[in-house]
């Protein structure tokens, strides 16, 4: 393999960030640039990740989002050009509707929840608790329904991913 190919593979993995690890090993956790995360990727590239940006790091670097948030990423092919305003996260058959802001990229759509008056951390905490013990996790948005891996979910969500330093 040429040096250029190795650099391209390394760059591709770096750009995928935390989700690359999650896809190959079930749910995973980590910390990068002032932000802790716990998440998973499905085989089709769907991702579900809880993030928590350190407020002190966010003050020092405006690229860091302060506080807890959740990001789901779905391939555009799953959404059929829809930009949903909510997702459903289903843990063992119990669906929780989470309001999100959608942002379309070239091949995927990012769906981001941030705490609000209508759906804050206190509404998200029961969902996180149900995911910890779930035997089946599904992500639904618009007409898409994707089954996500559960391997490692209890360990990844054992700490509270909504509590920032």
């Amino acid at each position: 393999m040429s040096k250029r190919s190795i650099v391209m593979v390394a760059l591709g993995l770096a750009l995928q960030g935390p989700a690359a690890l999650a896809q190959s090993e079930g749910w995973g956790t980590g910390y990068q640039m002032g932000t802790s995360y716990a998440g998973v990727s499905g085989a089709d590239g769907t991702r579900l990740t809880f993030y928590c940006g350190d407020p002190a790091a966010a003050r020092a670097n405006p690229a860091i989002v302060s506080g807890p948030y959740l990001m789901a990423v779905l391939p555009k092919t799953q959404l059929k050009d829809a930009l949903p305003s909510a997702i459903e996260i289903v843990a063992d058959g119990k669906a929780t509707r989470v309001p999100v802001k959608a942002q379309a990229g070239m091949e995927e759509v990012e769906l981001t929840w941030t705490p609000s008056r209508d759906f804050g951390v206190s509404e998200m905490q029961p969902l996180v608790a149900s995911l910890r013990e779930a035997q089946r996790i599904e992500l639904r948005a618009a007409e898409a329904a994707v089954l996500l891996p559960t391997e490692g979910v209890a360990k990844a969500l054992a700490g509270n991913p909504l509590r920032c330093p």
Side-chain angles (χ1 to χ4, degrees), residues 1 8 14 16 20 30 38 55 60 65 71-72 89 104 106 115 118-119 126 132 137 141 148-150 154 157 162 165:
M1 183 179 278
M8 294 303 287
Q16 289 177 358
V65 176
M71 186 179 296
I89 301 173
M106 292 296 290
D118 297 330
F119 196 94
R132 280 187 196 112
I137 299 172
L148 294 171
T150 57
L157 299 179
L162 303 172

Side-chain angles (χ1 to χ4, degrees), residues 99 113-123:
W113 164 82
T114 55
S116 68
R117 274 194 328 245
D118 297 330
F119 196 94
V121 172
S122 61
E123 286 79 19

